[in-house]
Amino acid sequence: MFSLHQLRCFIATYEHGSLTAAAEELGYAQPSVSEQIRSLEKSCGAQLFRRVGRGVVPTTVADSLRPHAERTLAAAEEARRAVQRVTTFETGTIRFGMFGTARLYAGAGLVADVLAQHPGVRVELIGQNSNEVQDELRRGRLEAAMIAVPTVTSEGMSVTPVARDELVYISADHDRLASPVTARRLSQASLVMPETTWRADDSTRIILRQLLHETGRNPMTRIEVEDVETAVELVGMGLADSVIPRGAAEQLLPRLAPTAGLVPLRPRQFDTLAIVHRAGATLSPAARLMIDLATKRIQAIAQPVNQQASPSSGTSPRTR
């Protein structure tokens, strides 16, 4: 029989590759974590980790155990929340996932909306990138989130599109903004792009790769950075152009690149923003509150969509 305590120690050790780091994350003494791992190995009848230098490496048994351990912990957390849910919101923490770009123009307003109704709560907005936020959902560390649809793996998830945010081309060279940017022009552009850590799965880049498929080329990045603010600053310096969501451009250009401008792509391209949570989950009142407020906040900024529509990031003749 496995205990939840053992499984938490196992997952932390697996993720960190270190008993010491796992103990630090969990707030336990290192010998306690070691004992829990030994007890779990005894219950399994197999070795879960091999010592390598100052760390540990999971065995194939550990690889097989991990998804089952994560589901068990998620189910236990869901059961805990079902017992402890409250509706007063007088105190406590409200957590909600929101990827980095959306937080630029909706995050502060969303927090203000929550605190205006429930001034005694603590608010946490979690995540830098949609993939990171989705991973937190799958681990059960978040109940619900707003993320960009092209990066969503819908298996096991309930996905409700709520808004579209147009992608725009930004440049400090106004000759390049005289007309909408076609796929061929985009394929020849020198770009600075954010989200370099998640470049393979970033929703904006996925859309651009699809747009450029007909040219046989990928977007040519001259500069790679992590955050959209740095990308916009570099555009303002005239070092490269970029493609970012219109909401981010309207928020950041006046402040970070006042001489730069924007123009649509041709055909127009849109990021679809969606509310996501685990399929079949019973959402807490706090999660339902955040979903409602986040939807209203983002639809006041981006273009609302039919919530019955299937997620799509393709082109559309409709304008903002």
Side-chain angles (χ1 to χ4, degrees), residues 181-185 187 207-218 266-267 269 315:
V181 174
T182 63
R184 186 162 298 280
R185 279 182 58 196
S187 72
I207 293 170
L208 295 185
R209 286 196 293 268
Q210 292 171 346
L211 176 63
L212 292 181
H213 179 71
E214 64 184 63
T215 71
R217 299 181 63 182
N218 285 322
R266 178 180 292 165
Q269 303 292 314
T315 62

Side-chain angles (χ1 to χ4, degrees), residues 192-271:
V192 52
M193 293 298 293
E195 307 285 0
T196 186
T197 295
W198 296 279
R199 69 180 73 178
D201 302 306
D202 174 59
S203 62
T204 295
R205 299 195 196 214
I206 290 173
I207 293 170
L208 295 185
R209 286 196 293 268
Q210 292 171 346
L211 176 63
L212 292 181
H213 179 71
E214 64 184 63
T215 71
R217 299 181 63 182
N218 285 322
M220 297 298 293
T221 55
R222 180 184 183 188
I223 307 169
E224 291 279 346
V225 296
E226 289 290 2
D227 58 280
V228 68
E229 293 94 335
T230 300
V232 171
E233 285 188 276
L234 291 168
V235 169
M237 295 176 186
L239 297 177
D241 297 341
S242 191
V243 177
I244 62 175
R246 180 183 286 272
E250 292 175 347
Q251 175 72 21
L252 296 176
L253 287 180
R255 178 162 55 90
L256 300 178
T259 63
L262 63 86
V263 70
L265 302 177
R266 178 180 292 165
R268 291 179 181 264
Q269 303 292 314
F270 296 84
D271 248 344

Side-chain angles (χ1 to χ4, degrees), residues 8-18 21-22 25-26 49 56 58 66 70 73 135-136 139 141:
R8 290 189 186 97
C9 292
F10 165 72
I11 291 296
T13 303
Y14 189 105
E15 291 178 347
H16 290 286
S18 166
E25 177 184 308
L26 297 171
F49 298 98
V56 294
R66 180 183 181 181
E70 288 179 337
L73 291 174
D135 189 53
E136 293 290 286
R139 294 174 184 272
R141 295 172 180 170

Side-chain angles (χ1 to χ4, degrees), residues 6-207:
Q6 289 173 342
L7 294 180
R8 290 189 186 97
C9 292
F10 165 72
I11 291 296
T13 303
Y14 189 105
E15 291 178 347
H16 290 286
S18 166
L19 292 166
T20 300
E24 290 177 356
E25 177 184 308
L26 297 171
Y28 302 146
Q30 192 267 350
S32 176
V33 174
S34 298
E35 178 59 31
Q36 293 302 314
I37 295 299
R38 283 195 296 270
S39 296
L40 184 57
E41 289 177 330
K42 184 177 180 180
S43 298
C44 291
Q47 184 180 9
L48 296 174
F49 298 98
R50 296 188 302 274
R51 288 192 175 276
V52 177
R54 302 178 65 181
V56 294
V57 175
T59 65
T60 56
V61 175
D63 291 336
S64 298
L65 176 60
R66 180 183 181 181
H68 299 285
E70 288 179 337
R71 285 195 293 269
T72 299
L73 291 174
E77 177 62 16
E78 183 69 19
R80 185 192 67 80
R81 285 197 297 262
V83 173
Q84 297 184 356
R85 285 185 186 114
V86 294
T87 58
T88 60
F89 301 117
E90 293 179 359
T91 60
T93 297
I94 297 179
R95 306 177 79 240
F96 188 73
M98 183 174 281
F99 68 101
T101 302
R103 286 208 315 274
L104 286 173
Y105 45 98
L110 176 58
V111 172
D113 293 341
V114 175
L115 295 181
Q117 295 187 30
H118 307 287
V121 302
R122 179 174 178 271
V123 181
E124 293 184 5
L125 289 185
I126 308 297
Q128 292 293 329
N129 177 273
S130 290
N131 286 280
E132 179 188 32
V133 173
Q134 186 176 194
D135 189 53
E136 293 290 286
L137 285 167
R138 292 194 180 282
R139 294 174 184 272
R141 295 172 180 170
L142 287 172
E143 282 191 85
M146 176 177 287
I147 58 182
V149 164
T151 62
V152 174
T153 303
S154 59
E155 182 180 356
M157 292 288 172
S158 173
V159 181
T160 305
V162 295
R164 300 194 312 165
D165 199 3
E166 184 179 7
L167 299 182
V168 295
Y169 187 92
I170 61 173
S171 177
D173 185 341
H174 287 261
D175 288 341
R176 299 173 191 165
L177 306 177
S179 62
V181 174
T182 63
R184 186 162 298 280
R185 279 182 58 196
L186 185 63
S187 72
Q188 299 168 351
S190 179
L191 301 177
V192 52
M193 293 298 293
E195 307 285 0
T196 186
T197 295
W198 296 279
R199 69 180 73 178
D201 302 306
D202 174 59
S203 62
T204 295
R205 299 195 196 214
I206 290 173
I207 293 170

Side-chain angles (χ1 to χ4, degrees), residues 282-293:
T282 302
L283 297 177
S284 70
R288 292 196 298 270
L289 171 70
M290 293 301 287
I291 287 173
D292 180 59
L293 293 178

